[in-house]
Amino acid sequence: MPGELSIVLFLVEHVRFLVDHFKVHFFVVLSAKLSTKEVKVLYKMVILGPISSYRLSQECDLPSATAWRILKRLAKEGYVRMGYRSFYITPKGLIAVFRSGEDERIRRLVAVKLKEEWKYEGSEEEIYTFLTELVKLSDKGLFNVDNLCFNHPTSLAAFLYPFAEKFSETSKKIIAYYMLKIFPPVSITSTCKGVIGLKENGEPYAIAMNCVKEGIRLNFSCECIRRMICSNSVAIRT
């Protein structure tokens, strides 16, 4: 619908403004450096799943008070969350394990668990690629991966969007997937929907697109988008 299109274009321009000028909004509170014991606890939680402080003390050979204190601190920093009787590792905790570990089996398991936590409909391999590239870009100083809001993938995608060209097409797909969750996409064709933006020269393109033929794409241009924009422009004028 013409009205839907104009609203989406308006919202997209505001998202760009927020991303460009208020990037700090997509960060979580700065986290203190994890200790060796805390990393070990997160590793255990990746393998064992939800865990009580008592079981943790048994698994890691820790005094009960120490196990409780570690879990409480990890919860405060956002690496785990407290349930009724157990603690659960969060996406932030999973990424911390992925970054700190060299065990390929554990890193693959992190990708599996993160796919579930983020409710991502693609493959674990795509998540693994995305995490690998994210860590590499952080190590190069592009941003600090320790302080990103991994617990909310839509916020993470909005933050990473300006850096999209640094990522592979696989990782761009993940960013596009969550960009499509931020705004309701408009119909480009009967089998294709997207969030539409305009380049500086006025050319329309899909900031994020989901198409039966092209798949999920980021910053994609095609003739169908141009025809749809022209059609809506005519409808709005008349």
Side-chain angles (χ1 to χ4, degrees):
M1 296 291 290
E4 290 178 338
L5 177 59
S6 60
I7 289 171
V8 170
L9 287 171
F10 173 80
L11 290 173
V12 165
E13 290 306 313
H14 277 68
V15 158
R16 283 181 169 176
F17 178 83
L18 287 172
V19 170
D20 289 341
H21 294 84
F22 300 102
K23 289 180 180 178
V24 70
H25 288 190
F26 299 108
F27 282 79
V28 293
V29 177
L30 294 179
S31 303
K33 185 176 176 61
L34 290 172
S35 68
T36 302
K37 284 184 179 179
E38 288 166 341
V39 172
K40 184 178 179 181
V41 167
L42 292 175
Y43 265 79
K44 281 290 184 182
M45 295 181 75
V46 169
I47 297 169
L48 300 175
I51 197 168
S52 66
S53 59
Y54 173 76
R55 186 182 180 192
L56 178 63
S57 68
Q58 300 298 307
E59 291 285 344
C60 295
D61 193 24
L62 295 169
S64 297
T66 300
W68 174 255
R69 186 167 59 250
I70 289 174
L71 287 170
K72 287 287 287 183
R73 182 176 182 277
L74 289 173
K76 180 181 178 181
E77 297 290 342
Y79 293 101
V80 306
R81 60 181 174 84
M82 186 186 300
Y84 175 57
R85 291 184 176 179
S86 300
F87 288 82
Y88 301 76
I89 191 166
T90 65
K92 182 180 179 182
L94 289 170
I95 273 80
V97 171
F98 188 93
R99 189 184 185 194
S100 65
E102 297 180 358
D103 187 326
E104 183 66 10
R105 182 178 64 90
I106 295 296
R107 285 162 66 91
R108 293 286 176 180
L109 185 56
V110 164
V112 171
K113 290 182 175 292
L114 194 60
K115 178 182 182 301
E116 296 173 357
E117 286 287 331
W118 280 355
K119 296 180 173 58
Y120 180 61
E121 295 176 356
S123 68
E124 291 93 355
E125 188 63 34
E126 290 169 349
I127 293 289
Y128 181 88
T129 298
F130 173 71
L131 293 180
T132 301
E133 293 177 3
L134 191 68
V135 169
K136 285 182 179 178
L137 291 175
S138 175
D139 290 343
K140 290 180 179 178
L142 197 61
F143 41 72
N144 188 344
V145 74
D146 290 326
N147 304 319
L148 292 179
C149 189
F150 291 107
N151 294 343
H152 301 282
T154 50
S155 294
L156 178 64
F159 175 81
L160 292 177
Y161 178 74
F163 307 102
E165 294 310 309
K166 303 289 185 181
F167 288 91
S168 67
E169 289 301 319
T170 297
S171 294
K172 287 179 184 177
K173 176 185 174 182
I174 293 176
I175 296 173
Y177 177 87
Y178 291 107
M179 291 294 285
L180 288 165
K181 301 289 185 182
I182 297 175
F183 300 111
V186 297
S187 295
I188 299 172
T189 68
S190 60
T191 59
C192 181
K193 293 185 177 182
V195 178
I196 306 301
L198 296 174
K199 297 180 181 179
E200 291 183 0
N201 63 3
E203 180 185 351
Y205 71 108
I207 291 174
M209 180 183 75
N210 188 358
C211 179
V212 170
K213 181 180 178 181
E214 300 291 343
I216 298 176
R217 301 289 295 274
L218 194 72
N219 296 335
F220 185 78
S221 298
C222 69
E223 186 59 34
C224 291
I225 296 172
R226 287 186 283 272
R227 285 200 300 267
M228 185 270 290
I229 291 293
C230 290
S231 174
N232 277 276
S233 296
V234 171
I236 290 171
R237 286 198 296 270
T238 58

